[in-house]
Amino acid sequence: MATSRAAKVLGTGFLSYLESKKNLAGSACGVAGLGLAFAGVGGSFWPVVVAGLYGAGALIAPPERVDPPHYPDVAEQLGVVREDFGRLREYLAEVDLPPAAGGKLAELLELYAALLDPGWVADALAAEPEWVHALSRALRLDVPECVDTYNRTRWWTRFAPGGESPERHLERQLVVLYDEAERVTAGLHEVEAGRQQTHTTYLEERGRS
């Protein structure tokens, strides 16, 4: 089995070399060497001449270009984040939360939806990879962890009551996440305000000229 796999690898490598620029350039030089041999150049050493020209051609040929790996751009990443948001909402629809935390979570989800809604806001967000990363982290990790740890901790408090309630912890966590999302929103507003100011300055300078 291993021998068969090794043979396939060698066969693939050989075929790749046959199609490579090095082999094509070497072959062209080798053909030129054969022409010289037929013309009487090299005498009885014509095989050495042909082999030498082949080797020289293979050496001077440019290396094969290997395409760099493709990584999704920020716009593609934002599409993935939207899919994550959809899955998160499906998960949360099955979860029972206390009214206070449920209300805060609803506000947070509304803010996420506004940021991810296709349009100029999402386009502005896509231009800021760090904010896309922060939003993705919140949807994939932070919010599910908040809800999951709340449910598990609430179960244990029936046997070991005392301390700060799981409900209060959940509310505090959601407040932090909401504040983070608001900072992203404020950052986008600053970007647009700066863009507007730049355009105003441009128009004023153009008017003076």
Side-chain angles (χ1 to χ4, degrees), residues 26-38:
S27 298
C29 291
V31 170
L34 286 174
L36 292 175
F38 288 133

Side-chain angles (χ1 to χ4, degrees), residues 111 131 176-189:
L111 188 51
W131 294 342
V176 172
L177 290 175
Y178 188 85
D179 290 343
E180 182 183 65
E182 279 197 320
R183 286 195 295 273
V184 172
T185 305
L188 290 174
H189 174 255

Side-chain angles (χ1 to χ4, degrees), residues 36-109:
L36 292 175
F38 288 133
V41 178
S44 60
F45 296 100
W46 69 266
V48 177
V49 174
V50 173
L53 288 173
Y54 175 88
L59 286 175
I60 64 174
E64 295 292 326
R65 182 180 180 274
V66 179
D67 292 331
H70 170 73
Y71 298 105
D73 58 25
V74 181
E76 291 176 310
Q77 293 176 21
L78 201 58
V80 175
V81 174
R82 287 194 187 95
E83 295 175 0
D84 293 337
F85 183 52
R87 285 190 287 268
L88 176 64
R89 298 186 83 159
E90 292 175 1
Y91 162 68
L92 295 175
E94 304 296 326
V95 176
D96 183 27
L97 297 178
K104 196 63 183 178
L105 180 61
E107 293 178 13
L108 179 61
L109 294 180

